[in-house]
Amino acid sequence: QVQLVESGGGLVQAGGSLRLSCAASGRTFGSYAMGWFRQAPGKEREFVAAINWSGGNTYYANSVKGRFTISRANAKNTVFLQMNSLKPEDTAVYYCAADRRWTSSTWYREEGMAYWGKGTLVTVSS
């Protein structure tokens, strides 16, 4: 069992930055790929970024590529999402997810993540 707790959300002006964190419980953190999804008001949840077990490979949605960076610290059971050059359209609840699989379809198509956090709200004002 893995429990995920997100933090770091808040209100920021367009062009600003935020850093989200996701703390995971359990001793098997290093065996899970980790990722972030988001859900804006009135929209479906969408993939944002993912990172493999070692941190050596990543996936990004085109909408955030070049602005967001995902990273992980296995010794601290934590995954991060550094968000720069934020836009109003980045406003959403951001969810952390964990899964043992590492394929593009698993993450880009959100194919049944094993574990989810409860989310943290990011609001970007114009």
Side-chain angles (χ1 to χ4, degrees):
Q1 188 78 6
V2 176
Q3 292 184 331
L4 305 174
V5 179
E6 302 94 337
S7 62
L11 174 64
V12 63
Q13 288 187 334
S17 299
L18 279 177
R19 188 193 197 200
L20 304 184
S21 299
C22 173
S25 66
R27 299 179 179 179
T28 59
F29 177 76
S31 64
Y32 284 87
M34 302 294 297
W36 293 91
F37 293 81
R38 67 186 182 185
Q39 187 167 21
K43 295 186 177 181
E44 293 187 353
R45 188 163 56 195
E46 64 176 1
F47 169 72
V48 176
I51 189 166
N52 73 337
W53 314 274
S54 68
N57 288 289
T58 57
Y59 296 132
Y60 290 97
N62 287 336
S63 59
V64 306
K65 200 171 294 183
R67 300 188 298 123
F68 291 10
T69 302
I70 189 170
S71 61
R72 65 188 295 161
N74 286 348
K76 297 182 179 180
N77 281 15
T78 304
V79 63
F80 305 97
L81 184 68
Q82 178 66 44
M83 306 185 295
N84 298 328
S85 302
L86 282 162
K87 304 175 181 179
E89 51 263 44
D90 294 318
T91 294
V93 177
Y94 283 71
Y95 298 91
C96 179
D99 199 274
R100 293 186 184 274
R101 297 167 293 170
W102 185 246
T103 65
S104 59
S105 63
T106 296
W107 291 94
Y108 282 105
R109 298 179 185 177
E110 194 190 316
E111 293 180 343
M113 297 296 107
Y115 300 101
W116 288 95
K118 294 184 177 180
T120 185
L121 177 63
V122 172
T123 303
V124 185
S125 63
S126 58

PDB file of all heavy atoms in Angstrom, residues 31 40 87 102 104 106:
ATOM      1  N   SER A  31      10.391   1.642  -6.306  1.00  0.00           N
ATOM      2  CA  SER A  31       9.969   0.698  -7.337  1.00  0.00           C
ATOM      3  C   SER A  31       8.781   1.206  -8.137  1.00  0.00           C
ATOM      4  O   SER A  31       8.285   0.504  -9.027  1.00  0.00           O
ATOM      5  CB  SER A  31       9.606  -0.651  -6.705  1.00  0.00           C
ATOM      6  OG  SER A  31       8.489  -0.522  -5.853  1.00  0.00           O
ATOM      7  N   ALA A  40      -8.855  20.684 -14.344  1.00  0.00           N
ATOM      8  CA  ALA A  40      -9.372  22.045 -14.291  1.00  0.00           C
ATOM      9  C   ALA A  40     -10.889  22.012 -14.114  1.00  0.00           C
ATOM     10  O   ALA A  40     -11.535  21.010 -14.458  1.00  0.00           O
ATOM     11  CB  ALA A  40      -9.005  22.785 -15.567  1.00  0.00           C
ATOM     12  N   LYS A  87       0.616  29.891 -16.412  1.00  0.00           N
ATOM     13  CA  LYS A  87      -0.418  30.562 -17.186  1.00  0.00           C
ATOM     14  C   LYS A  87      -1.766  30.331 -16.503  1.00  0.00           C
ATOM     15  O   LYS A  87      -1.944  29.338 -15.797  1.00  0.00           O
ATOM     16  CB  LYS A  87      -0.473  29.977 -18.594  1.00  0.00           C
ATOM     17  CG  LYS A  87       0.840  30.012 -19.344  1.00  0.00           C
ATOM     18  CD  LYS A  87       0.720  29.296 -20.682  1.00  0.00           C
ATOM     19  CE  LYS A  87       2.036  29.299 -21.432  1.00  0.00           C
ATOM     20  NZ  LYS A  87       1.927  28.585 -22.736  1.00  0.00           N
ATOM     21  N   TRP A 102       5.899   1.450 -16.623  1.00  0.00           N
ATOM     22  CA  TRP A 102       6.550   2.580 -17.274  1.00  0.00           C
ATOM     23  C   TRP A 102       6.415   2.403 -18.777  1.00  0.00           C
ATOM     24  O   TRP A 102       7.320   1.938 -19.475  1.00  0.00           O
ATOM     25  CB  TRP A 102       8.009   2.692 -16.870  1.00  0.00           C
ATOM     26  CG  TRP A 102       8.670   3.932 -17.455  1.00  0.00           C
ATOM     27  CD1 TRP A 102       9.665   3.961 -18.382  1.00  0.00           C
ATOM     28  CD2 TRP A 102       8.343   5.292 -17.174  1.00  0.00           C
ATOM     29  NE1 TRP A 102       9.994   5.255 -18.691  1.00  0.00           N
ATOM     30  CE2 TRP A 102       9.192   6.102 -17.971  1.00  0.00           C
ATOM     31  CE3 TRP A 102       7.408   5.922 -16.342  1.00  0.00           C
ATOM     32  CZ2 TRP A 102       9.147   7.500 -17.945  1.00  0.00           C
ATOM     33  CZ3 TRP A 102       7.373   7.317 -16.306  1.00  0.00           C
ATOM     34  CH2 TRP A 102       8.220   8.078 -17.105  1.00  0.00           C
ATOM     35  N   SER A 104       4.533   4.700 -22.225  1.00  0.00           N
ATOM     36  CA  SER A 104       3.946   5.996 -22.554  1.00  0.00           C
ATOM     37  C   SER A 104       2.422   5.941 -22.481  1.00  0.00           C
ATOM     38  O   SER A 104       1.777   6.870 -21.993  1.00  0.00           O
ATOM     39  CB  SER A 104       4.406   6.454 -23.928  1.00  0.00           C
ATOM     40  OG  SER A 104       4.039   5.500 -24.914  1.00  0.00           O
ATOM     41  N   THR A 106       0.547   4.088 -20.571  1.00  0.00           N
ATOM     42  CA  THR A 106       0.103   4.046 -19.181  1.00  0.00           C
ATOM     43  C   THR A 106      -0.097   5.442 -18.635  1.00  0.00           C
ATOM     44  O   THR A 106      -1.086   5.727 -17.958  1.00  0.00           O
ATOM     45  CB  THR A 106       1.123   3.303 -18.311  1.00  0.00           C
ATOM     46  OG1 THR A 106       1.205   1.948 -18.731  1.00  0.00           O
ATOM     47  CG2 THR A 106       0.726   3.347 -16.835  1.00  0.00           C
TER      48      THR A 106
END
